[in-house]
Amino acid sequence: MIKLGICNELFEGWELADVCRVVKGLGYDGVEIAPFTLAPLITDLSKEKRREIRATVEDAGLATIGLHWLLAKTDGFYLTSPDADVRRRTGDYLVALAEAARDLGGSLMVLGSPKQRDLLPGVSYEQAEDYAVEAFRRIMPAIGDHGVDLCLEPLAPSETNFLNTCAQAEAVIARVGHPNFKLHMDVKAQSSEAESVPDLIRRHARAAGHFHAQDVNLQGPGMGDVDFGPILKALVDSGYDRWVSVEVFDFSPGAKETARRSIECLRKHLDAAQGTP
């Protein structure tokens, strides 16, 4: 059954316990964490602190979904660099993130990080794909051993020039061939593709390990022009039964208002899609 979560960076400046209390009170099932809200580098976060964070989330009656914005606000990591040492460090850091995700009680990570995968000068798309596949083949056994799915996110051409469509991401996933390496889908990102978001869901959602919901105006579901009825119906009809997390980029309406309006929209359309009274 689809569960509803929300990403924690929306609540900038809030104590985690307060985030969890509000999120639970609004009816969410889980919270998804951006690592930079916890520490400059995930390796700076002690085992004791990880246990405290997990307890705070679980004591509120929520689940830690996992991590996203994996490489945001870091330096020195680059997935498609021609420098093998840079790719190795990047891969090792992703494994460290997977260990942290497990320690926090999470089961997935979303790899978007457009500025750590853009094509560098002199690197073709084909070369970049080979570099990425090499890196993923090396690290996925360790990530899988932590019980974590790594979900690869195609992003719009306005954000990156590498992996812009679900089909391109699935081609990389197929080349890597690891059961914990999955597709991530996102309303804003997939709105840049030629097919509609519901059509893309019907085509790709069975391969998806995670889903982000937001409007193309960068605010939450129900706060713009995107019709989430067909989107939730396509998810339900496709058999998708994992998390749908609210991820927004325009925080201006306020965290609590955004969270409230988002879950009201998603719950209404999810109940209709599932035939729930």
Side-chain angles (χ1 to χ4, degrees), residues 58-82:
E58 293 179 353
D59 287 351
L62 296 168
T64 299
I65 298 166
L67 304 177
H68 75 138
W69 280 31
L70 301 182
L71 303 180
K73 303 189 181 185
T74 64
D75 293 312
F77 302 127
Y78 214 100
L79 179 66
T80 60
S81 170

Side-chain angles (χ1 to χ4, degrees), residues 110 151-154 182-186 190 208-212:
V110 178
C151 302
L152 184 61
E153 181 176 24
K182 293 182 167 67
L183 176 69
H184 173 78
M185 299 190 74
D186 177 289
Q190 268 64 82
H210 195 43
F211 193 93
H212 276 163

Side-chain angles (χ1 to χ4, degrees), residues 14 28 47 57 80 82 124 161 171 197 201 210 219 221 263 274 276:
W14 287 44
Y28 287 93
K47 290 283 190 179
V57 175
T80 60
S124 69
N161 55 12
V197 174
I201 290 169
H210 195 43
Q219 296 184 13
I263 196 168
Q274 293 174 333
T276 304

Side-chain angles (χ1 to χ4, degrees), residues 36 40-41 68-83 86-91 93-94 97 110-120 123 128-129 131-132 135-136 152-153 155 159-163:
F36 67 80
L41 290 173
H68 75 138
W69 280 31
L70 301 182
L71 303 180
K73 303 189 181 185
T74 64
D75 293 312
F77 302 127
Y78 214 100
L79 179 66
T80 60
S81 170
D83 187 326
V86 172
R87 298 197 305 273
R88 187 175 300 108
R89 286 199 304 271
T90 304
Y93 189 65
L94 291 173
L97 284 161
V110 178
L111 180 57
S113 302
K115 298 312 170 190
Q116 288 84 15
R117 76 191 206 204
D118 273 345
L119 303 181
L120 290 170
V123 176
E129 183 175 300
Y131 291 150
F136 290 134
L152 184 61
E153 181 176 24
L155 290 166
E159 297 186 71
T160 183
N161 55 12
F162 182 63
L163 299 178

